[in-house]
Coordinates of all heavy atoms in Angstrom, one line a residue:
L1115 N 126.0 -140.1 10.9 CA 124.7 -139.9 11.5 C 124.0 -138.6 11.0 O 122.8 -138.7 10.6 CB 124.8 -139.8 13.0 CG 125.1 -141.2 13.8 CD1 125.6 -140.9 15.2 CD2 123.9 -142.0 13.8
V1116 N 124.7 -137.5 11.0 CA 124.1 -136.3 10.6 C 123.8 -136.4 9.1 O 122.7 -136.0 8.7 CB 125.1 -135.1 10.8 CG1 124.6 -133.8 10.1 CG2 125.3 -134.9 12.3
S1117 N 124.6 -137.0 8.3 CA 124.4 -137.0 6.8 C 123.2 -137.9 6.5 O 122.3 -137.5 5.7 CB 125.6 -137.6 6.1 OG 126.8 -136.8 6.3
Q1118 N 123.1 -139.1 7.2 CA 121.9 -140.0 6.9 C 120.6 -139.3 7.3 O 119.6 -139.5 6.7 CB 122.1 -141.3 7.5 CG 121.9 -141.4 9.0 CD 121.4 -142.7 9.5 OE1 121.5 -143.7 8.8 NE2 120.9 -142.7 10.8
N1119 N 120.7 -138.6 8.5 CA 119.4 -138.0 9.0 C 118.9 -136.9 8.1 O 117.7 -136.8 7.8 CB 119.7 -137.5 10.4 CG 119.9 -138.6 11.4 OD1 119.7 -139.7 11.1 ND2 120.4 -138.2 12.6
Y1120 N 119.8 -136.1 7.6 CA 119.4 -135.0 6.6 C 118.9 -135.7 5.3 O 118.0 -135.1 4.7 CB 120.5 -134.0 6.4 CG 120.6 -132.9 7.4 CD1 121.8 -132.6 8.1 CD2 119.5 -132.1 7.7 CE1 121.8 -131.6 9.0 CE2 119.5 -131.1 8.6 CZ 120.7 -130.8 9.3 OH 120.7 -129.8 10.2
Y1121 N 119.6 -136.7 4.9 CA 119.1 -137.4 3.7 C 117.7 -137.9 3.8 O 116.9 -137.7 3.0 CB 120.1 -138.6 3.3 CG 119.5 -139.4 2.2 CD1 119.5 -139.0 0.9 CD2 118.9 -140.7 2.6 CE1 118.9 -139.8 -0.1 CE2 118.3 -141.5 1.6 CZ 118.4 -141.0 0.3 OH 117.8 -141.8 -0.7
M1122 N 117.4 -138.6 4.9 CA 116.1 -139.2 5.1 C 115.1 -138.0 5.3 O 113.9 -138.1 4.8 CB 116.0 -140.1 6.3 CG 116.7 -141.4 6.1 SD 116.5 -142.6 7.5 CE 117.5 -141.8 8.8
A1123 N 115.5 -136.9 5.9 CA 114.6 -135.8 6.1 C 114.2 -135.1 4.8 O 113.1 -134.5 4.7 CB 115.2 -134.8 7.1
T1124 N 115.1 -135.1 3.8 CA 114.9 -134.3 2.7 C 114.7 -135.0 1.4 O 114.0 -134.5 0.5 CB 116.2 -133.3 2.5 OG1 117.4 -134.1 2.4 CG2 116.3 -132.3 3.6
Y1125 N 115.3 -136.2 1.2 CA 115.2 -137.0 0.0 C 114.7 -138.4 0.2 O 114.0 -138.9 -0.7 CB 116.5 -137.0 -0.8 CG 116.9 -135.7 -1.3 CD1 117.9 -134.9 -0.7 CD2 116.4 -135.2 -2.5 CE1 118.2 -133.6 -1.1 CE2 116.8 -133.9 -3.0 CZ 117.7 -133.2 -2.3 OH 118.0 -131.9 -2.8
G1126 N 115.1 -139.0 1.2 CA 114.7 -140.4 1.5 C 113.4 -140.4 2.2 O 112.5 -139.6 2.0
S1127 N 113.2 -141.5 3.1 CA 112.0 -141.6 3.8 C 112.1 -141.0 5.2 O 112.9 -141.5 6.0 CB 111.6 -143.1 3.9 OG 110.5 -143.3 4.8
P1128 N 111.3 -140.0 5.5 CA 111.3 -139.4 6.9 C 111.0 -140.5 7.9 O 111.4 -140.3 9.1 CB 110.2 -138.3 6.8 CG 110.1 -138.0 5.4 CD 110.3 -139.3 4.6
L1129 N 110.2 -141.5 7.5 CA 109.9 -142.6 8.5 C 111.1 -143.2 9.1 O 111.1 -143.7 10.2 CB 109.0 -143.6 7.8 CG 107.6 -143.1 7.4 CD1 106.9 -144.1 6.5 CD2 106.7 -142.8 8.6
G1130 N 112.2 -143.3 8.3 CA 113.4 -143.9 8.8 C 113.9 -143.2 10.1 O 114.7 -143.9 10.8
I1131 N 113.6 -142.0 10.3 CA 114.1 -141.3 11.4 C 113.5 -141.8 12.7 O 114.1 -141.7 13.8 CB 113.8 -139.8 11.3 CG1 114.6 -139.2 10.1 CG2 114.0 -139.0 12.5 CD1 114.2 -137.8 9.7
L1132 N 112.3 -142.5 12.6 CA 111.8 -143.2 13.8 C 112.7 -144.3 14.2 O 112.9 -144.6 15.4 CB 110.4 -143.7 13.5 CG 109.3 -142.7 13.4 CD1 108.0 -143.4 12.9 CD2 109.0 -142.1 14.8
G1133 N 113.4 -144.9 13.2 CA 114.4 -145.9 13.6 C 115.6 -145.3 14.2 O 116.2 -145.9 15.2
V1134 N 116.0 -144.1 13.8 CA 117.1 -143.4 14.4 C 116.8 -143.1 15.9 O 117.5 -143.4 16.8 CB 117.4 -142.1 13.7 CG1 118.5 -141.3 14.4 CG2 117.7 -142.3 12.2
A1135 N 115.6 -142.6 16.1 CA 115.1 -142.2 17.4 C 115.0 -143.4 18.3 O 115.3 -143.4 19.5 CB 113.8 -141.5 17.4
S1136 N 114.6 -144.6 17.8 CA 114.5 -145.8 18.6 C 115.8 -146.2 19.2 O 115.9 -146.7 20.3 CB 113.9 -146.9 17.8 OG 114.9 -147.5 16.9
L1137 N 116.9 -145.9 18.5 CA 118.3 -146.3 18.9 C 118.8 -145.2 19.9 O 119.3 -145.5 21.0 CB 119.2 -146.5 17.7 CG 120.6 -147.1 17.9 CD1 121.6 -146.1 18.4 CD2 120.5 -148.3 18.8
T1138 N 118.7 -144.0 19.5 CA 119.4 -142.9 20.3 C 118.6 -142.7 21.6 O 119.2 -142.6 22.7 CB 119.4 -141.6 19.5 OG1 118.1 -141.2 19.1 CG2 120.3 -141.7 18.3
E1139 N 117.3 -142.7 21.6 CA 116.5 -142.5 22.8 C 116.6 -143.7 23.7 O 116.7 -143.6 24.9 CB 115.1 -142.2 22.5 CG 114.8 -141.1 21.5 CD 115.1 -139.7 22.1 OE1 115.7 -139.6 23.2 OE2 114.8 -138.7 21.4
G1140 N 116.7 -144.9 23.0 CA 116.8 -146.1 23.8 C 118.1 -146.2 24.5 O 118.2 -146.6 25.7
L1141 N 119.2 -145.8 23.9 CA 120.5 -145.8 24.5 C 120.5 -144.9 25.7 O 121.1 -145.2 26.8 CB 121.6 -145.5 23.5 CG 122.1 -146.6 22.6 CD1 123.2 -146.0 21.7 CD2 122.6 -147.8 23.4
G1142 N 120.0 -143.7 25.5 CA 120.0 -142.7 26.6 C 119.2 -143.2 27.8 O 119.7 -143.0 28.9
A1143 N 118.1 -143.8 27.5 CA 117.2 -144.3 28.6 C 117.9 -145.5 29.3 O 117.8 -145.6 30.6 CB 115.9 -144.7 28.1
D1144 N 118.5 -146.4 28.6 CA 119.1 -147.6 29.2 C 120.4 -147.3 29.8 O 120.8 -147.9 30.9 CB 119.2 -148.7 28.1 CG 117.9 -149.2 27.6 OD1 116.9 -149.0 28.3 OD2 117.9 -149.7 26.5
L1145 N 121.3 -146.5 29.2 CA 122.6 -146.3 29.7 C 122.9 -145.0 30.4 O 123.9 -144.9 31.1 CB 123.6 -146.4 28.5 CG 123.7 -147.8 27.9 CD1 124.7 -147.8 26.7 CD2 124.2 -148.9 28.9
G1146 N 122.1 -144.0 30.2 CA 122.4 -142.6 30.7 C 122.6 -142.6 32.1 O 123.7 -142.0 32.6
K1147 N 121.7 -143.1 32.9 CA 121.8 -143.0 34.4 C 123.0 -143.7 34.9 O 123.8 -143.2 35.7 CB 120.5 -143.5 35.1 CG 120.5 -143.3 36.6 CD 119.2 -143.7 37.2 CE 119.2 -143.5 38.7 NZ 117.8 -143.9 39.2
S1148 N 123.2 -145.0 34.4 CA 124.3 -145.8 34.9 C 125.7 -145.2 34.5 O 126.6 -145.2 35.3 CB 124.2 -147.2 34.4 OG 124.2 -147.3 33.0
M1149 N 125.8 -144.7 33.3 CA 127.0 -144.1 32.8 C 127.3 -142.8 33.6 O 128.5 -142.5 33.9 CB 126.9 -143.8 31.3 CG 127.0 -145.0 30.4 SD 128.6 -145.9 30.5 CE 128.1 -147.3 31.5
A1150 N 126.3 -142.0 33.9 CA 126.6 -140.8 34.7 C 127.1 -141.2 36.0 O 128.0 -140.5 36.6 CB 125.3 -140.0 34.8
Q1151 N 126.5 -142.2 36.6 CA 127.0 -142.7 37.9 C 128.4 -143.2 37.9 O 129.2 -142.9 38.8 CB 126.1 -143.8 38.4 CG 126.4 -144.3 39.8 CD 125.3 -145.3 40.3 OE1 124.3 -145.5 39.7 NE2 125.6 -145.8 41.5
V1152 N 128.8 -143.9 36.8 CA 130.2 -144.4 36.6 C 131.1 -143.2 36.5 O 132.2 -143.2 37.1 CB 130.3 -145.3 35.4 CG1 131.7 -145.6 35.1 CG2 129.6 -146.6 35.7
L1153 N 130.7 -142.2 35.7 CA 131.6 -141.0 35.5 C 131.8 -140.3 36.9 O 132.9 -139.7 37.1 CB 131.0 -140.1 34.5 CG 131.0 -140.6 33.1 CD1 130.2 -139.7 32.1 CD2 132.4 -140.9 32.5
R1154 N 130.7 -140.2 37.7 CA 130.9 -139.5 39.0 C 131.7 -140.3 40.0 O 132.6 -139.8 40.6 CB 129.5 -139.3 39.6 CG 128.5 -138.4 38.8 CD 128.8 -136.9 38.9 NE 129.2 -136.5 40.2 CZ 128.3 -136.1 41.2 NH1 127.0 -136.1 40.9 NH2 128.7 -135.7 42.4
E1155 N 131.4 -141.6 40.1 CA 132.0 -142.4 41.1 C 133.4 -143.0 40.8 O 134.3 -143.0 41.6 CB 131.1 -143.6 41.5 CG 129.7 -143.1 42.1 CD 128.8 -144.3 42.4 OE1 129.2 -145.4 42.1 OE2 127.7 -144.0 42.9
T1156 N 133.6 -143.4 39.5 CA 134.8 -144.0 39.1 C 135.8 -142.9 38.7 O 137.0 -143.0 39.0 CB 134.6 -145.0 38.0 OG1 133.7 -146.0 38.4 CG2 135.9 -145.6 37.5
Y1157 N 135.4 -141.9 38.0 CA 136.3 -140.9 37.5 C 136.3 -139.5 38.2 O 137.0 -138.6 37.9 CB 136.0 -140.7 36.0 CG 136.2 -141.9 35.2 CD1 135.1 -142.7 34.9 CD2 137.4 -142.3 34.8 CE1 135.2 -143.9 34.2 CE2 137.6 -143.5 34.1 CZ 136.5 -144.3 33.8 OH 136.7 -145.4 33.0
G1158 N 135.4 -139.4 39.2 CA 135.4 -138.2 40.1 C 134.9 -137.0 39.4 O 135.2 -135.9 39.8
L1159 N 134.1 -137.1 38.3 CA 133.5 -135.9 37.7 C 132.4 -135.3 38.5 O 131.7 -136.0 39.2 CB 133.0 -136.3 36.3 CG 134.1 -136.8 35.3 CD1 133.4 -137.1 33.9 CD2 135.2 -135.8 35.1
E1160 N 132.3 -134.0 38.4 CA 131.3 -133.3 39.2 C 129.9 -133.4 38.4 O 129.9 -133.7 37.3 CB 131.7 -131.8 39.3 CG 133.0 -131.6 40.1 CD 132.9 -132.1 41.6 OE1 131.8 -132.1 42.1 OE2 134.0 -132.5 42.1
K1161 N 128.9 -133.1 39.2 CA 127.5 -133.2 38.7 C 127.4 -132.3 37.5 O 126.7 -132.6 36.5 CB 126.5 -132.8 39.8 CG 125.1 -132.9 39.3 CD 124.2 -132.6 40.5 CE 122.7 -132.7 40.1 NZ 121.8 -132.4 41.3

Side-chain angles (χ1 to χ4, degrees):
L1115 285 164
V1116 172
S1117 298
Q1118 75 150 15
N1119 291 349
Y1120 274 127
Y1121 168 76
M1122 288 188 290
T1124 55
Y1125 290 99
S1127 172
L1129 294 167
I1131 293 170
L1132 288 171
V1134 178
S1136 74
L1137 190 281
T1138 57
E1139 308 290 8
L1141 279 179
D1144 293 341
L1145 294 177
K1147 185 176 181 179
S1148 61
M1149 286 296 104
Q1151 186 174 355
V1152 169
L1153 292 174
R1154 296 284 317 274
E1155 296 179 357
T1156 302
Y1157 298 97
L1159 295 180
E1160 299 294 332
K1161 184 177 180 179

